[in-house]
Amino acid sequence: MREILIADDHPLFRDALKRAVLQALPGAVLHEVDGVAALHAAIEAHADVELLLLDLHMPGASGFSALVHTRAQHPGLPIVVVSAHEEAQVIRRAIAHGASGYIPKSASVETIVEAVRKVLGGDLWVPAAVRGGGTALKPAEADVAAQVAQLTPQQFRVLNMIAEGLLNKQIAYELGVSEATVKAHMTAIMRKLGVSNRTQVALLASHLAVDADALAGGDAMLTNGPH
């Protein structure tokens, strides 16, 4: 029995994906989550999952961060990004970050079925409009991806909360831990990212943003320093 994991925080779209997957793989066992914390737990709980359909924007994720981190934690699990972003550059960046496929949310059921079957067959699948071209990540983005890949799941959650602007007290409340534990995570995160304060942590995280303007802004602020 084939097992597929769907990670998306929109119930209606999860239902659409489930219908498409069952058309591609009748009788498949489907698991679904709506955030990054549940995603990590589900992958650990269901060791036989053969494919992850991953939305880029869920609670606990920002830009390509969940893709990068999950790819590093579970290198043998094929990941297909399912996103409302349809820009060729975004699709190519997702593939460069290790995705095995990319399905726009506007895709038909038939297209989703084709993509799922192709990726499970060991192929790469992207929309026809962006086939035949590759994208090399900018050095800064590739470096940040490699650093984020080193984080533990809990450190990754802290990183994304920092990027969202949460204070240590708020992070501690969300995670159900002490502020001292959050500070310990912060120290480890800064060491792994090679920075010295939380502002720089947030700026580095912006390199994995989908929005090109946000990425450019992060570049400028890292070059010129925070104001």
Side-chain angles (χ1 to χ4, degrees):
M1 195 73 69
R2 312 198 80 164
E3 295 189 38
I4 308 297
L5 176 57
I6 298 172
D8 193 298
D9 62 335
H10 294 93
L12 290 177
F13 196 75
R14 280 204 310 274
D15 287 342
L17 281 176
K18 286 190 290 185
R19 289 195 298 272
V21 170
L22 288 174
Q23 185 170 322
L25 304 167
V29 175
L30 306 182
H31 307 286
E32 53 186 297
V33 297
D34 60 2
V36 167
L39 169 62
H40 291 307
I43 296 175
E44 294 297 331
H46 305 290
D48 292 330
V49 164
E50 295 182 53
L51 177 68
L52 167 61
L53 300 176
L54 177 69
D55 185 17
L56 290 179
H57 300 292
M58 295 186 299
S62 175
F64 296 103
S65 64
L67 168 62
V68 167
H69 191 255
T70 306
R71 169 85 282 130
Q73 295 287 309
H74 307 280
L77 177 62
I79 301 173
V80 173
V81 170
V82 184
S83 176
H85 293 280
E86 301 192 16
E87 302 89 345
Q89 182 70 3
V90 172
I91 295 171
R92 289 172 177 150
R93 284 171 67 201
I95 299 303
H97 278 303
S100 297
Y102 193 106
I103 303 172
K105 285 194 172 182
S106 63
S108 66
V109 170
E110 292 75 18
T111 297
I112 298 172
V113 168
E114 176 192 345
V116 168
R117 287 176 175 167
K118 285 281 190 181
V119 172
L120 284 174
D123 294 328
L124 182 74
W125 194 94
V126 294
V130 297
R131 291 173 193 166
T135 293
L137 296 172
K138 293 182 179 179
E141 183 175 357
D143 288 346
V144 171
Q147 291 166 323
V148 168
Q150 300 175 47
L151 302 179
T152 67
Q154 192 77 320
Q155 290 167 355
F156 178 73
R157 293 182 68 188
V158 172
L159 170 70
N160 279 288
M161 290 180 185
I162 292 169
E164 292 170 5
L166 271 64
L167 302 175
N168 284 359
K169 180 185 294 187
Q170 295 169 308
I171 295 173
Y173 176 80
E174 291 291 332
L175 296 180
V177 299
S178 68
E179 285 191 59
T181 298
V182 173
K183 290 177 181 177
H185 284 315
M186 278 289 302
T187 299
I189 291 167
M190 288 189 291
R191 183 182 71 250
K192 290 180 178 180
L193 297 186
V195 297
S196 58
N197 61 57
R198 67 187 300 129
T199 299
Q200 292 173 324
V201 169
L203 291 176
L204 275 181
S206 73
H207 280 273
L208 298 180
V210 171
D211 184 352
D213 291 335
L215 180 60
D219 283 333
M221 292 186 72
L222 283 169
T223 300
N224 302 324
H227 297 287

